[in-house]
Amino acid sequence: MKLTQTLLSAALALALSGAAVAAITPDEAKKLGTTLTAVGAERAGNKDGTIPEYTGGLTTAPAGFKPGDGIRPNPFATDKPRLVIDAKNLAQHADKLTEGTKALLQKYPSFRVDVYPTHRSVAFPKFVADNTAKIATQAKTNNDGRSIEGAHAGFPFPIPKTGYEAMWNHLVRYNGQAYEVKYRNLNVDASGRTTLATEGMNVQEFPFWDAGKSSAEIYWRIKNTYTGPARRAGEALLIVDPLDIGTKDRRAWTYLPGQRRVKVAPDLSHDTPNPGTAGGNTFDDIFIFIGSMDRFDFKLVGKKEMYVPYNAYAAVYQAKQDDLLKPNHLNPDLVRWELHRVWVVEATLREGKRHVYSKRTFYLDEDSWAALASDQYDA
């Protein structure tokens, strides 16, 4: 009976997602900027005040910020945890934790979750709000939810009706138009020993957010050039994801110095092990999820309050490698958790499709649409 219900649900989801339907009506769009924020989050705080009202986010640089510097000072450095969750009090807070977080708490006595006061710090340029309102009633999904049209330089589905729409908000989330960073990928074994997987230069571009143009065909482009370790130095890869990924699919190329040639690499997607992390994750694990949604059925479960990593300035900008990377998990002293409302999307492997994961649950921040965490299950 359970299998039959699952198949019927999958068939219904496919039937609904295949149609190109505008996300919201004009009346629904009127909520944007009033009861909802410009990108669709609930403006009001929660009943007990642990999630505050949205008042526009962090719009001024914190003390100590140096213009042009890539390091961001922590504007909330004086905050103290309001709650600490460990294995002893896990049961009291289990409904607000991901399954992966609960598993870590149960397995490692050294792991804990320090919950700090919630700051709704996300802020966007005015054109993001304006364009989101403009395209909200015209953005559509096609190709079983895999492609979108009628959207540019704004969040296409601020009031999502399907899991595909919510995930598209994550895929095209605002990161500016481009950025370039030096990076290091490190794998840590159970003893705490770190091994360099790759390091190099990472350039990402987001043509979708070029407000100077009226449209775009590509939403994400990335180029990695490896400078280490020595055996990987000189390698490079380029990936391009179109908005119409349902019909055009991802384009990818690799360069291997030993062969002195560029090769088309269509397998740099889905559950192919990511060479940038020495196979430590899959290509569609990047940024929690990236790429085509053709392998799974995406169901919008709803919204709930959860403890998630947020405003983690200490871990991202201030921490030294040896202080952050500890055996079995990150150093809890340096990871900030906050209570936020997140959209929950369940992805179940489609019948006849192959992937190392059979099910995935994604948790998308209501204020930024970025995926903050996921639970992933093998076969």
Side-chain angles (χ1 to χ4, degrees), residues 99-116:
E99 295 302 317
T101 305
K102 287 186 281 188
L104 285 170
L105 288 165
Q106 292 168 336
K107 187 171 184 179
Y108 301 116
S110 56
F111 185 69
R112 71 177 192 276
V113 172
D114 291 347
V115 180
Y116 287 80

Side-chain angles (χ1 to χ4, degrees), residues 68-119:
D69 193 347
I71 302 300
R72 302 292 191 263
N74 185 356
F76 314 120
T78 60
D79 285 358
K80 303 297 181 183
R82 67 175 184 84
L83 173 67
V84 176
I85 304 172
D86 56 22
K88 296 178 182 178
N89 63 353
L90 168 59
Q92 298 173 233
H93 308 283
D95 63 323
K96 289 183 171 63
L97 295 168
T98 70
E99 295 302 317
T101 305
K102 287 186 281 188
L104 285 170
L105 288 165
Q106 292 168 336
K107 187 171 184 179
Y108 301 116
S110 56
F111 185 69
R112 71 177 192 276
V113 172
D114 291 347
V115 180
Y116 287 80
T118 297
H119 294 283

Side-chain angles (χ1 to χ4, degrees), residues 193-343:
R193 182 174 64 92
T194 59
T195 302
L196 178 65
T198 59
E199 64 181 346
M201 295 300 300
N202 174 284
V203 178
Q204 297 189 53
E205 298 177 346
F206 311 96
F208 179 84
W209 290 101
D210 186 349
K213 297 182 179 179
S214 60
S215 64
E217 294 184 359
I218 296 167
Y219 72 87
W220 183 59
R221 182 163 46 222
I222 182 173
K223 179 183 178 182
N224 272 354
T225 304
Y226 302 138
T227 58
R231 60 184 174 82
R232 303 290 303 275
E235 291 184 24
L237 65 82
L238 174 67
I239 294 175
V240 179
D241 277 353
L243 291 166
D244 188 13
I245 199 168
T247 56
K248 294 182 179 179
D249 218 341
R250 166 176 286 180
R251 291 177 290 159
W253 300 264
T254 59
Y255 174 75
L256 301 176
Q259 299 179 1
R260 295 188 178 182
R261 60 181 296 191
V262 175
K263 287 186 174 181
V264 176
D267 291 335
L268 299 186
S269 63
H270 299 96
D271 58 351
T272 297
N274 182 357
T277 59
N281 63 2
T282 66
F283 267 97
D284 62 6
D285 279 329
I286 298 172
F287 307 123
I288 308 295
F289 181 80
I290 193 74
S292 175
M293 291 185 276
D294 62 315
R295 301 283 177 93
F296 294 86
D297 290 319
F298 290 81
K299 176 185 176 183
L300 186 62
V301 177
K303 190 186 289 186
K304 66 180 298 187
E305 296 179 7
M306 296 190 69
Y307 297 122
V308 287
Y310 215 100
N311 289 313
Y313 288 83
V316 175
Y317 295 110
Q318 278 79 47
K320 295 181 179 179
Q321 174 182 314
D322 292 341
D323 292 335
L324 180 64
L325 305 179
K326 298 298 182 181
N328 305 313
H329 53 75
L330 297 178
N331 185 349
D333 294 339
L334 298 173
V335 181
R336 181 189 179 103
W337 300 71
E338 295 181 2
L339 181 68
H340 284 265
R341 287 183 291 242
V342 297
W343 288 98

Side-chain angles (χ1 to χ4, degrees), residues 37 39-41 54 120-124 128 155 166 169-175 209 310 340-341 343 363-372:
T37 69
V39 301
Y54 182 77
R120 298 180 69 177
S121 50
V122 174
F124 297 108
V128 174
F155 285 91
N169 288 337
H170 160 71
L171 289 174
V172 302
R173 67 199 178 281
Y174 182 72
N175 286 297
W209 290 101
Y310 215 100
H340 284 265
R341 287 183 291 242
W343 288 98
Y363 305 93
L364 315 181
D365 175 32
E366 70 166 344
D367 287 333
S368 67
W369 285 108
L372 303 178

